[in-house]
Structure formats: structure tokens, C-alpha cells
Amino acid sequence: MKDHKELLSVCDLRVQFAGKKSGIMGKAKPIPVVNGVTFSVMKGETLGLVGESGCGKTTLGRALIRLGQPSVTGKIRFEGREISTLSNRDFRSLRKEMQMIFQDPFGSLNPRLTVGQTLEEVLLVHHIARGTVANKRIEELLDVVGLSRDYRNRYPHEFSGGQRQRIGIARALAVNPKFIICDEPVSALDVSIQSQIINLLKDLQINMGLTYLFIAHDLSVVEYISDRVAVMYLGNIVEIAESTELYTNPEHPYTRALLSAIPNPEYGAKKERILLNGDLPGPLNMPSGCPFHPRCPQAMPACKERTPMLHDRQKNGHQVACLLFE
Ligand code: SF4
């Protein structure tokens, strides 16, 4: 249930990776992947984050919970507390509250541990339970994600993709998190299994009051699960709005192009497919002005010079970063 209180807020977040040195004396040029994003997530809501592969959405999600070793600047607040300045040691205790579900659960599960051992390890590492209490908790977790208790002695390779994702969800739930980053959790699954996992995530959200950042490139899936949706392009959020508003009244030319590609009569039949010029540029070739201008069908001369900022023109929470709306 959404209670309109902010759980997470991100202000001007920038993420860079170290580039390669050019020559022996050359300096490594940092690779900017997230370029100053600002957004918040309310308690109990699902914020969808969409964009082409390589737009920085996964890097953004990982940076929120300090996965990997990029350079991160900007402010991150969780439950009103500034967490971007916490030491790694202090941040570790907070990790229980913020969990991640990965696209490839098989890759993130230890093949040498049974499901029971995987869940028990999480409970032990976080000092949540051991012995008979841990056993009971493992059974509860398997029940909650719809897996038979008999499966606890099986290894990851003995499960289907959908079952492995349920194990990944159980592992995330083991620590009683408040916030879960779902990083393309159904992209690798068959369509019929996708809906089962999405419905499971929705049920868990209602029953446990969870808050999600749901990262995906499939706009239909994102629409189904999200309360609000943010569209990302080349490390920037270019549009953010309530889900229904964004899908029925997209303003940014990039969002319109993405929506026009959905093979869904509700949108596709009404809208002509908008084709974009070229491919997504690399982060080292960031265009001047509006980052989308080399591909934008509505680009104007000013778009090469001026960088548009997110702007809530109608004061209804629908923000768009495009000079057409300034
Ligand atoms: Fe297109 Fe210009 Fe708007 Fe950028 S600012 S999306 S280039 S119209």
C-alpha cells in the first residue's frame, strides 16, 4: 500500500567507471554512465525504469546499493537519512533493507549450495537466524515464493528459469528488506513464466509493503507492474510520470519512439512507428546540448547547444526534459 512517504531519494547522482589509460604516460579517461539523475521512490510504490540497453539503468540500480566499484557522486537518502556519505562498514548494516533481484538468477546462485544452504547462508551472515529457527524461516520463504519445501535439498541446476528466479526472490526476502531493486527480473524467462513472476512480485508487495525499483527494457512489462515510470537515455532521466499518464500522453520524443515500437494494438495501432536515426552513442561520445539530438526526429538547431532539464510543466508530476516543452 502506497502511503506517499518518500522511501528513497536520489539527487544529481553521477556514476563513472575508470577508463583505460592511453599509452604508458596517458591518463585514464573516466567513462560517465549516469549523468546527474534526480528522482524519488515512495513507500510501497513501484517505480519502473526503462531505456535501451547501455543507457545506464542497471548501473544506476547497482550504484544505489554500492555493487561494483564505480565512482559515485550525488546524494542518496533512504528513509530520510543521507546514506551516500556512510562508510562501507556502516552501509553494510543498511544492505539488509535494500536488496536486489538479478536478471540471471543462475549466475547469482552458488551452484555448490542447495537452496536450503543458500537461504541459510543469508540468514547466518546477517545474524537473523540459525538452527531450528533458520529451518523454519527457510520453509516460510519457500512457501512465500511458491516453491515446495521438498526443494530445499536441490541444487540450482535442478530448477527451471522461473523456479530459479523464485529462489532469487526468496534470497532477497530472507533479510526482510524494505526496498528491492528488480534488475530485468523476467527478461530471460518465457512469456507465460514472466507473468507468474510479475504477479508474485505484486502479491509480495501488497502483503509485505515492499517498494520496488523495477528496471526493464520491455515497456509492456513495466507498464503492468509500475505506479510511475522513468525513461532513461544515455545516463539521463528524460521523462518521468505516473504510469497511465506516461503511456497515454508521452511527451519526450524518445519515449514516444519507444512506445511506438510496442506491438500492442492499444498503442501500436493508433501510433505510427517512429524510427530513430542511428544507434545509442557510447558514453565517451556524449553529444553536446540535448544528448538525444542526433537521433531525435524533432530536433531543432537549439537542441545542439542547450541541455534541457526535467521540468514539470503541468504541475502534475509529469516531468520531461525537452526544449519543445520549455
Ligand atoms: Fe529532441 Fe530537442 Fe527535445 Fe532533445 S530537446 S528531445 S533534440 S526536440
Side-chain angles (χ1 to χ4, degrees):
M1 181 72 98
K2 291 174 279 296
D3 63 7
H4 303 291
K5 278 194 196 138
E6 199 174 83
L7 182 73
L8 176 91
S9 74
V10 172
C11 182
D12 197 25
L13 190 81
R14 293 170 191 271
V15 186
Q16 295 185 333
F17 287 98
K20 281 193 184 145
K21 280 188 183 175
S22 55
I24 300 172
M25 304 295 284
K27 269 192 165 178
K29 202 174 172 192
I31 303 169
V33 183
V34 178
N35 300 316
V37 302
T38 297
F39 64 92
S40 53
V41 191
M42 301 297 148
K43 279 187 183 170
E45 86 164 338
T46 298
L47 177 68
L49 186 60
V50 294
E52 291 164 281
S53 324
C55 71
K57 52 193 190 308
T58 291
T59 300
L60 167 57
R62 292 171 68 91
L64 295 177
I65 54 168
R66 297 196 189 176
L67 280 183
Q69 293 187 319
S71 149
V72 180
T73 60
K75 290 195 184 314
I76 306 172
R77 293 177 76 80
F78 186 74
E79 294 195 301
R81 178 183 178 202
E82 174 64 51
I83 60 167
S84 43
T85 50
L86 289 180
S87 66
N88 284 340
R89 188 196 163 104
D90 289 341
F91 190 81
R92 224 170 287 140
S93 59
L94 193 77
R95 278 292 310 276
K96 267 196 268 186
E97 316 271 319
M98 306 167 85
Q99 288 289 299
M100 191 154 186
I101 298 169
F102 299 90
Q103 175 179 3
D104 175 13
F106 195 52
S108 65
L109 293 170
N110 186 335
R112 289 188 294 274
L113 296 185
T114 64
V115 175
Q117 288 167 335
T118 295
L119 297 175
E120 187 178 17
E121 187 181 50
V122 178
L123 297 172
L124 286 175
V125 166
H126 289 280
H127 308 292
I128 292 171
R130 57 173 62 241
T132 49
V133 180
N135 274 336
K136 192 160 178 292
R137 178 73 180 134
I138 290 166
E139 288 179 354
E140 278 171 14
L141 287 164
L142 292 172
D143 292 347
V144 160
V145 299
L147 288 174
S148 162
R149 293 181 178 190
D150 298 338
Y151 290 174
R152 62 177 294 162
N153 295 319
R154 293 195 188 176
Y155 290 88
H157 72 270
E158 297 178 76
F159 293 96
S160 67
Q163 288 173 323
R164 284 200 285 259
Q165 195 52 284
R166 287 176 192 268
I167 299 167
I169 294 170
R171 187 178 52 182
L173 294 177
V175 291
N176 293 316
K178 292 177 179 159
F179 178 56
I180 301 184
I181 299 165
C182 308
D183 183 16
E184 302 268 10
V186 297
S187 309
L189 304 176
D190 292 345
V191 175
S192 59
I193 308 296
Q194 283 186 4
S195 55
Q196 291 174 16
I197 297 295
I198 295 287
N199 287 330
L200 172 63
L201 288 170
K202 281 185 137 195
D203 289 347
L204 293 172
Q205 182 171 48
I206 293 165
N207 296 334
M208 298 181 176
L210 295 167
T211 302
Y212 296 141
L213 177 65
F214 192 93
I215 300 170
H217 64 272
D218 183 331
L219 278 94
S220 313
V221 169
V222 170
E223 181 191 19
Y224 181 63
I225 192 165
S226 304
D227 298 293
R228 289 185 304 137
V229 176
V231 181
M232 218 170 155
Y233 183 79
L234 260 186
N236 301 278
I237 289 180
V238 297
E239 186 161 10
I240 183 165
E242 295 272 340
S243 183
T244 316
E245 163 72 7
L246 188 110
Y247 281 76
T248 53
N249 185 26
E251 293 191 332
H252 197 282
Y254 179 60
T255 312
R256 289 191 198 173
L258 287 181
L259 290 177
S260 78
I262 298 181
N264 177 340
E266 203 182 328
Y267 303 110
K270 278 193 275 177
K271 294 182 179 133
E272 238 176 74
R273 176 85 193 260
I274 302 169
L275 296 173
L276 299 177
N277 300 320
D279 296 323
L280 189 72
L284 287 174
N285 300 318
M286 185 68 71
S288 62
C290 172
F292 187 54
H293 85 256
R295 304 175 74 195
C296 180
Q298 290 168 271
M300 310 169 284
C303 303
K304 283 187 190 168
E305 316 291 334
R306 285 178 52 207
T307 306
M309 308 301 287
L310 273 180
H311 178 54
D312 186 354
R313 189 168 44 98
Q314 300 171 78
K315 306 281 179 247
N316 62 353
H318 187 162
Q319 300 179 66
V320 61
C322 172
L323 298 181
L324 291 171
F325 300 96
E326 281 190 4

